Amino acid sequence: MSYTVPPTRTAAVVRQLRNEIVTGELPPGTLIKDAELAARLGVSITPVREAIAQLSVEGLIDIAPNRTRHVTKVTHKNALELIDVMSVLACAGFEWGVENLTETHIDLLRQRQKEFVEALRTGNLLTAGAVGADFSTIVILASGNRELQSMVDLVVARTLRILAMGADSDLWEPWIRGYDEVLALLEHGDTKGATARYRQIYVDYRAKVEQELFQE
């Protein structure tokens, strides 16, 4: 996920709606109305419609044959499948990019991890999601494969919906501990160990999500 300021009104609306969907402010099944959204966000209909089209591509909004739009309902099966897809894409990008990391990259990773933990400590889930995703983005972009990063962004946006819960949720734990250990391995120059540990984050996370879903 991008950690930069949106360059256009459409991008700003996309980010706002995506955040509202991810955090559960717009629950699954919510009817999306162009005019109401435009009025609430203080923009014209055009960027709202363009944003809805983008979020439909991301799988966050369903557009029915009669053109009504609703926030997508995510089933337990969907959630686990999304984690599996995110794991394949992100781990491939990490493996391709890790050998290209410089001290500057590692300093930035260290900063993102601090921001991630602090955001969770203060209950700022939107920031936590953004900087947590950016930790991976830094490594993936070091591979030079921007197309892969674009695909990861789409899957992350959908997967984050299952993190729409409190900052004290156990589902954050694999990322906090995993990023700490990945960073420590990178600081010691162990890129193979860091890659293996990064892959393990997804294994641990999936297991926790599956356990959480079955408890429901």
Side-chain angles (χ1 to χ4, degrees), residues 76 80 206-216:
H76 293 178
L80 295 177
R206 190 189 193 283
K208 277 188 173 291
V209 169
E210 190 167 16
Q211 181 181 28
E212 187 97 4
L213 294 179
F214 278 128
Q215 285 178 351
E216 294 178 3

Side-chain angles (χ1 to χ4, degrees), residues 46-60:
T46 298
V48 168
R49 287 176 175 168
E50 291 174 346
I52 288 172
Q54 173 63 37
L55 293 173
S56 174
V57 172
E58 294 183 13
L60 295 178

Side-chain angles (χ1 to χ4, degrees), residues 27 39 77 90 123 135 190 197:
K77 183 173 183 289
F135 186 99
D190 185 358
R197 184 63 188 86

Side-chain angles (χ1 to χ4, degrees), residues 30-61:
T30 299
L31 179 64
I32 303 296
K33 298 181 179 179
D34 298 0
E36 289 182 3
L37 272 177
R40 176 164 68 85
L41 300 178
V43 298
S44 67
I45 288 288
T46 298
V48 168
R49 287 176 175 168
E50 291 174 346
I52 288 172
Q54 173 63 37
L55 293 173
S56 174
V57 172
E58 294 183 13
L60 295 178
I61 291 177

Side-chain angles (χ1 to χ4, degrees), residues 2-17:
S2 175
Y3 198 55
T4 59
V5 176
T8 66
R9 286 188 178 181
T10 296
V13 174
V14 167
R15 174 175 289 185
Q16 178 64 30
L17 291 180

Side-chain angles (χ1 to χ4, degrees), residues 141-162:
L141 288 181
S143 72
N145 193 327
R146 293 187 176 275
E147 288 299 322
L148 176 59
Q149 181 57 47
S150 295
M151 289 189 287
V152 172
D153 285 346
L154 292 179
V155 179
V156 167
R158 297 183 66 189
T159 308
L160 277 175
R161 289 185 59 188
I162 58 179

